[in-house]
Amino acid sequence: CASFEEAKDTLGLPQYLIIGVATVGGVLPETFIPIIKNALSQGVSVVNGLHDYLQDHEDFRTLAKQNDAQLIDIRKPKSFKELQFWTEEIFQVDCPIIAVLGMDCAVGKRTTARFITETCLDNDLKAEMIFTGQTGWMQGAKHGFIFDSTLNDFVSGELAGAIITAYKEESPDIILLEGQSSLRNPSGPCGPEFLISGNAKYVILVHEIKKQYFDDLEAWGTLPSVESEIALIKAYGSEVIALSLNTRGCKLEEAKIAQKSLAETLGIPVLLPLEEGMEAILPIVRQLV
């Protein structure tokens, strides 16, 4: 649908309008404001994944109150009393923990983690995915936290706490961690927390074949080689067990050539999730369990 009104006319009045984009700095675009006001005026609650909180806008609060709608700012930080500090209890989690890390932002880490989780569940392996971003929460993952709205001193504790809770409540065969950003993206380097605080000794690395620069911006720097990223992860004490390829802008033949070349060079399975599914990861996962 091209607009809120078209969606309403086609599908009926929804209960929720979800702001599911991630803008630079998490700022609410001006073009979104009339759409949000239109929804609120019709009693539609709004779920917001941006750092720009709807509850901070007086006009949104007024409309929501007048029309019995909710403003749900899911990226709003927890209060100090709700936050967990890291403890060594994470070392008592004895099922394999796999971090799904990426060479950059927006290369398919969450999607890869979800695909693997679903593939495991379809093949009698009880997998649990820990969400670490607002989209994972929106998609209904049960366990996790929103990494980039968590006070820095408690990131390690919230991560470990989510893993421990999932382990205790679900008794999974395997736990997958949704990664954020990348180890060397200058705008928000991220990843060591998953390896060290989350005790993820295994990694599935996500690589976009045709991506050259961080965030596709030349000024931000050239992406490192996959080989050097694997070496860096090894230096943290974790092992890359597979490479998952994002084939944006590739023809199938190009993707297959890249898959074969990387598999021969790296000596690990190279996955094409959209083209071939995730079944190739199952033998490796079964060896870990």
Side-chain angles (χ1 to χ4, degrees):
C1 299
S3 66
F4 177 82
E5 287 303 322
E6 184 181 328
K8 186 185 73 170
D9 292 342
T10 305
L11 305 169
L13 188 67
Q15 287 181 277
Y16 298 94
L17 168 67
I18 298 173
I19 302 173
V21 299
T23 62
V24 175
V27 176
L28 181 70
E30 290 289 329
T31 53
F32 285 18
I33 292 175
I35 302 170
I36 294 168
K37 288 183 174 180
N38 185 18
L40 291 171
S41 68
Q42 298 180 67
V44 177
S45 296
V46 183
V47 178
N48 174 35
L50 298 173
H51 287 302
D52 194 347
Y53 308 130
L54 300 182
Q55 293 175 13
D56 290 345
H57 295 252
E58 185 178 354
D59 47 353
F60 292 159
R61 292 200 309 270
T62 300
L63 278 171
K65 186 175 181 179
Q66 289 174 345
N67 296 281
D68 197 25
Q70 290 179 285
L71 300 175
I72 304 169
D73 290 311
I74 63 170
R75 228 164 168 181
K76 199 165 188 177
K78 292 181 180 178
S79 69
F80 169 74
K81 291 182 179 180
E82 295 176 289
L83 293 167
Q84 306 174 69
F85 198 70
W86 186 90
T87 75
E88 69 280 1
E89 190 179 358
I90 186 67
F91 299 137
Q92 296 174 22
V93 176
D94 64 3
C95 73
I97 301 171
I98 300 176
V100 181
L101 305 183
M103 296 289 295
D104 194 19
C105 300
V107 292
K109 297 182 287 292
R110 182 190 65 259
T111 301
T112 296
R114 286 186 66 88
F115 281 5
I116 294 172
T117 301
E118 291 167 2
T119 300
C120 287
L121 291 171
D122 289 341
N123 288 274
D124 299 319
L125 283 168
K126 192 172 183 183
E128 193 69 32
M129 185 189 105
I130 305 298
F131 75 85
T132 56
Q134 68 272 19
T135 308
W137 182 91
M138 289 178 183
Q139 290 179 338
K142 184 176 179 181
H143 298 283
F145 75 113
I146 299 176
F147 190 109
D148 66 8
S149 66
T150 300
L151 189 64
N152 188 61
D153 206 25
F154 295 93
V155 165
S156 60
E158 288 292 297
L159 173 63
I163 296 168
I164 293 163
T165 300
Y167 176 68
K168 288 180 175 178
E169 293 184 0
E170 313 300 336
S171 300
D173 295 318
I174 189 168
I175 292 175
L176 292 123
L177 310 181
E178 174 203 1
Q180 292 295 325
S181 188
S182 72
L183 284 165
R184 290 185 268 185
N185 183 301
S187 72
C190 181
E193 300 92 341
F194 298 96
L195 305 179
I196 299 173
S197 305
N199 201 33
K201 295 303 181 186
Y202 306 100
V203 172
I204 293 170
L205 186 61
V206 185
H207 169 56
E208 184 174 325
I209 297 170
K210 290 196 170 183
K211 184 181 271 277
Q212 292 182 277
Y213 308 109
F214 288 112
D215 270 23
D216 295 317
L217 298 168
E218 186 174 358
W220 285 27
T222 303
L223 288 175
S225 68
V226 174
E227 292 89 340
S228 72
E229 198 80 353
I230 290 174
L232 179 57
I233 290 167
K234 185 176 181 180
Y236 276 109
S238 299
E239 176 189 0
V240 176
I241 58 174
L243 186 71
S244 179
L245 296 182
N246 179 323
T247 56
R248 179 172 65 112
C250 293
K251 295 179 180 178
L252 181 59
E253 184 181 355
E254 291 178 293
K256 290 280 192 179
I257 291 171
Q259 180 188 37
K260 182 180 179 182
S261 174
L262 286 163
E264 290 174 352
T265 301
L266 303 174
I268 57 175
V270 178
L271 311 170
L272 293 175
L274 297 181
E275 294 82 3
E276 297 178 347
M278 285 296 192
E279 281 72 18
I281 198 68
L282 289 173
I284 299 169
V285 173
R286 291 190 192 279
Q287 287 177 4
L288 299 177
V289 173

